[in-house]
Amino acid sequence: LARLVLACYVLDSDPTDPDRRAASTAEVAIACQTARVLIGVTAALLACFGYGTASVLQAYGARASAASTGGTGALVTATGAPTLGATVAAALTPMFIVGMMLDVVGFVGSVVSARLIPLFLAQTIMSANLVVTAVLGVVVLGVRLSTRDWVAIVAVGVSLLPISCDNHFSTLLQQ
């Protein structure tokens, strides 16, 4: 990746520089496009894992906040909904705050990926955050998934592969 970024830099560098590698414009353009795709895919993966992890950490923080009340109903309304105080208490737990920071990381990754790669590819990669959330929910929150849930997780993973490797992706790399 560093070589690809360097190749893009060489195109913009001083032509009188003796260290400048002689490369055709087409060669450098391909290297730049490849670097853009790799950075875009990496940013989309960062968004996927950021959003998925953030959801689990926020749920963990909310559970920790509810557990710290000692089971009293003071933070629940008559309808069973959380009160404003309960919501604020949950939002101020360290895990919830870390989850919010990961949401920001995910947002930045989604913006970068949408800018560098085709939207169909960026959205396909980021949609796998549901799988990340489900798997981390099992590990961190102790959620039990049914067989149907695990089949759905595998189906999502298997179905995302051909979509992300669509003909447009290979065409993009050839430009």
Side-chain angles (χ1 to χ4, degrees):
L1 185 58
R3 283 184 179 173
L4 295 173
V5 172
L6 180 62
C8 293
Y9 173 75
V10 166
L11 182 64
D12 296 330
S13 66
D14 180 15
T16 61
D17 184 2
D19 293 332
R20 182 176 181 189
R21 183 179 154 260
S24 71
T25 305
E27 214 176 24
V28 174
I30 290 171
C32 290
Q33 186 63 29
T34 304
R36 286 176 55 119
V37 169
L38 290 175
I39 293 168
V41 168
T42 302
L45 286 169
L46 183 67
C48 171
F49 284 97
Y51 283 140
T53 306
S55 298
V56 172
L57 290 179
Q58 290 165 2
Y60 186 85
R63 279 188 180 184
S65 174
S68 70
T69 63
T72 62
L75 298 178
V76 179
T77 63
T79 62
T83 63
L84 180 60
T87 303
V88 170
L92 294 177
T93 61
M95 288 301 210
F96 198 96
I97 293 169
V98 170
M100 291 298 290
M101 288 190 286
L102 284 174
D103 274 332
V104 171
V105 168
F107 176 75
V108 170
S110 67
V111 168
V112 169
S113 68
R115 178 75 175 112
L116 296 178
I117 59 177
L119 195 55
F120 82 90
L121 181 60
Q123 289 296 312
T124 300
I125 294 169
M126 288 185 291
S127 69
N129 77 22
L130 297 171
V131 173
V132 173
T133 301
V135 172
L136 284 178
V138 168
V139 174
V140 175
L141 301 174
V143 174
R144 293 183 50 98
L145 298 178
S146 67
T147 304
R148 181 179 60 181
D149 297 329
W150 285 110
V151 168
I153 288 171
V154 170
V156 166
V158 169
S159 65
L160 289 178
L161 287 175
I163 292 171
S164 65
C165 295
D166 192 346
N167 201 18
H168 299 292
F169 186 63
S170 60
T171 304
L172 177 68
L173 288 175
Q174 293 173 359
Q175 291 179 351

